[in-house]
Amino acid sequence: MTDLKGKLALVTAAGSPIGAACAARLADAGHHVIAADTDGTAAAAVVALIRQHNGSAEFAPLDASDERNWRAMAGHIRTKYKRLDVLVQAAMTLLVKPFTETTLADLRSLARDNIVAPWLGLRHCAPLLREAGNACVVNLTSTVGRTAHGGAAALSATAAGVRMMTKSAALEWGPQGYGVTVNTVNVGSVPWRPHAETTQDDLDLGPAIAPSEVAEAVLYLCSPAAKYITGMEITLDGGRSIGFPG
Amino acid sequence: MTALAGQVAIVTGATGGLGRPIAVALAAAGAKVVATGRNVERGEATVAAITVSGGEATFLAQDVTRDEDWQTVIAQTIAAFGRLDAVINNAGDARLAPIEELTLQDLEYLLDLNLHGSFLGLKHAFAHMGTDGGAVINLTALPAYGGAVRQTAYSAAKGALAHLTKAAAIAGRARGIRVNNIVPAVLFAGGEVSPGAVRVQGDPAAAELFKARAIAQSPLKKLGEPDDAARAAVFLCSRAGRHISGIDVFIDGGRQAGGN
């Protein structure tokens, strides 16, 4: 078993712009970061960058929508560290398509990436988070789960699903006395994945948000300052999804 | 900490309750703080708590329901510090009773203090914040988001305030003025309590019962502390909150997430 000086954080989609920013910020704040991604090259680059800044990080391959992958990941963490202090799930697949052109396969694929993946993360990391004492989970999703967007029915549905799944986990885990907080960060216009077929540019979600700003919100939710906050949502979109801006 | 270095913040109701810890936390993060309220002695105690640790603060007597008082506070703030970056509309009150016992005067009092006072704070903030924009924080409560026993008047006042925040957030977008709600429930530390607990002050047995019930109702099975709300205010005013507007920051151990 490896003794950690700081806390242990697992960041999924760590090779994506948001995942990379969260990984770097958590490492900067003293966490040892497991940078998980299917894209080994991008995540390895994040690990290298963190080490260059004297931070501590390792790469771990993870297809977050596959349960066997999560079992292996949880097993790896249990064997090496025994606990998990921070889980940040930063994957999000966008799809902008008219409703009548959206196929069942599209919806299934989006649900797999956006709901099943973070559900598996919660499901398999739960025992490790309890082990940590004051652990926290932050699930990232799109603001279209708050305010529906024409041409993004499947996306809106899956993003809204993340919000309620997160609140339910908060309600279930709090009373068990392990002190695990579970929160959502809804993000507006941000590059989830570079080179993706659908990008945030296909949606009008407000001002461009820098991945580093998402990371600041995540770090706040993982800090002692937010220890009484659970089942809550921070929305980062400059106020775009509030109501009826005209 | 320097998250708020160079900022100037007004905190209303900074004479006690959550106002004092919020004022102290903003000052500790580098802001110059104008603490306002009706009780001079308690307001000066807040200023002393800030200056003793090297912070900068001043107290101004203010009744937030009076427009003239707001004009004076804003003028003196600009005169003393040259700018305005944040207004924390913390002053407020609760009156809890069955609707049969509440009077129209009770409702008008709660609307005045919780809604009209914060509305004036918003109006003056919008009038005097510079080209850099700024942050306004309104303090709401869980009854603003759903019904609660003995809280018809309080729900109405805080519910209206919660939505005033959202409308103001839209109005502020073009100017970089961000408007958010902080929703504390239930926060205890020493003798300071949240509005719902005021009625049990001075009655140790009732206070214990109130605390036990609040813990039971909280999904985290514990009480929060005033400092949890104070640090949320620092976060919202800081650069990290630059794209956050119109949201409700629930400091409630998960109560609003749902019921079971």
Side-chain angles (χ1 to χ4, degrees):
Chain A
M1 204 192 102
T2 309
D3 256 339
L4 290 172
K5 273 178 286 169
K7 292 185 164 188
L8 177 66
L10 170 61
V11 179
T12 71
S16 71
I18 292 188
C22 291
R25 191 70 188 87
L26 287 164
D28 190 47
H31 295 74
H32 173 73
V33 175
I34 301 176
D37 206 318
T38 42
D39 184 344
T41 315
V46 173
V47 169
L49 194 69
I50 288 172
R51 288 185 179 153
Q52 245 174 51
H53 289 85
N54 299 319
S56 175
E58 68 187 72
F59 164 67
L62 175 76
D63 173 356
S65 61
D66 180 75
E67 185 158 31
R68 278 168 308 178
N69 270 248
W70 272 110
R71 283 215 181 90
M73 174 64 80
H76 163 71
I77 295 172
R78 176 157 299 285
T79 309
K80 199 168 172 193
Y81 304 106
K82 292 211 170 215
R83 64 163 213 276
L84 180 63
D85 299 283
V86 173
L87 171 63
V88 177
Q89 308 206 79
M92 186 79 203
T93 302
L94 302 188
L95 178 70
V96 180
K97 229 182 196 185
F99 199 104
T100 47
E101 288 171 28
T102 305
T103 62
L104 180 60
D106 286 334
L107 178 62
R108 283 213 169 110
S109 155
L110 224 57
R112 192 176 117 109
D113 288 357
N114 296 344
I115 295 180
V116 174
W119 185 88
L120 288 171
L122 290 170
R123 177 73 184 76
H124 288 282
C125 291
L128 294 161
L129 293 162
R130 287 170 190 167
E131 211 62 59
N134 295 309
C136 70
V137 180
V138 181
N139 291 329
L140 298 170
T141 192
S142 167
T143 49
V144 293
R146 273 174 52 82
T147 308
H149 205 288
L155 179 59
S156 293
T158 57
V162 172
R163 297 171 53 221
M164 285 302 140
M165 174 175 76
T166 305
K167 285 174 196 272
S168 301
L171 289 173
E172 237 178 88
W173 292 357
Q176 294 172 9
Y178 298 104
V180 183
T181 65
V182 196
N183 294 291
T184 309
V185 174
N186 302 305
V187 189
S189 185
V190 78
W192 289 99
R193 278 279 176 194
H195 319 305
E197 213 171 290
T198 303
T199 73
Q200 75 284 353
D201 297 336
D202 298 319
L203 294 160
D204 177 19
L205 300 179
I209 311 293
S212 61
E213 290 166 341
V214 180
E216 289 296 334
V218 168
L219 189 71
Y220 168 67
L221 289 173
C222 296
S223 72
K227 68 183 189 301
Y228 201 54
I229 296 179
T230 193
M232 201 271 279
E233 305 176 51
I234 288 181
T235 299
L236 280 163
D237 67 348
R240 175 58 58 107
S241 62
I242 303 164
F244 309 94
Chain B
M1 221 170 106
T2 55
L4 307 183
Q7 289 204 17
V8 176
I10 295 172
V11 183
T12 71
T15 45
L18 288 178
R20 183 173 294 164
I22 289 173
V24 168
L26 294 177
K32 298 182 179 86
V33 172
V34 177
T36 83
R38 287 174 293 193
N39 187 313
V40 180
E41 200 178 317
R42 287 161 57 89
E44 292 296 355
T46 298
V47 169
I50 290 170
T51 49
V52 76
S53 27
E56 199 169 343
T58 185
F59 173 75
L60 297 174
Q62 180 192 28
D63 173 350
V64 293
T65 67
R66 291 167 54 88
D67 199 23
E68 312 85 270
D69 282 22
W70 270 107
Q71 287 171 21
T72 310
V73 163
I74 295 283
Q76 293 194 17
T77 299
I78 302 285
F81 300 121
R83 57 186 288 131
L84 177 62
D85 303 278
V87 172
I88 320 298
N89 286 312
N90 165 73
D93 200 1
R95 280 185 185 171
L96 313 184
I99 190 164
E100 295 88 337
E101 291 171 25
L102 284 167
T103 64
L104 181 59
Q105 284 74 23
D106 287 327
L107 176 62
E108 282 171 345
Y109 165 76
L110 292 181
L111 286 171
D112 241 5
L113 201 50
N114 295 301
L115 181 62
H116 304 165
S118 302
F119 173 77
L120 288 173
L122 268 166
K123 264 188 78 73
H124 286 281
F126 271 63
H128 294 277
M129 278 176 176
T131 48
D132 298 344
V136 180
I137 295 172
N138 292 328
L139 273 286
T140 63
L142 287 182
Y145 305 89
V149 177
R150 297 159 57 89
Q151 309 199 21
T152 48
Y154 188 58
S155 294
K158 286 296 193 189
L161 175 60
H163 266 257
L164 172 63
T165 297
K166 312 232 168 199
I170 288 172
R173 266 177 28 189
R175 296 199 29 215
I177 299 176
R178 301 175 296 101
V179 191
N180 293 289
N181 292 319
I182 287 180
V183 198
V186 167
L187 313 179
F188 269 78
E192 306 288 8
V193 292
S194 57
V198 167
R199 66 202 150 105
V200 295
Q201 264 176 333
D203 182 346
E208 279 312 307
L209 197 68
F210 181 88
K211 279 167 77 165
R213 209 169 55 215
I215 291 169
Q217 288 169 343
S218 155
L220 283 184
K221 297 296 169 226
K222 63 180 178 188
L223 296 170
E225 294 155 20
D227 200 42
D228 296 329
R231 290 197 278 184
V234 172
F235 170 70
L236 288 173
C237 292
S238 73
R239 191 177 159 74
R242 160 176 114 84
H243 283 302
I244 299 176
S245 195
I247 77 163
D248 304 286
V249 179
F250 291 94
I251 319 280
D252 69 345
R255 279 183 68 179
Q256 55 74 35
N260 52 357

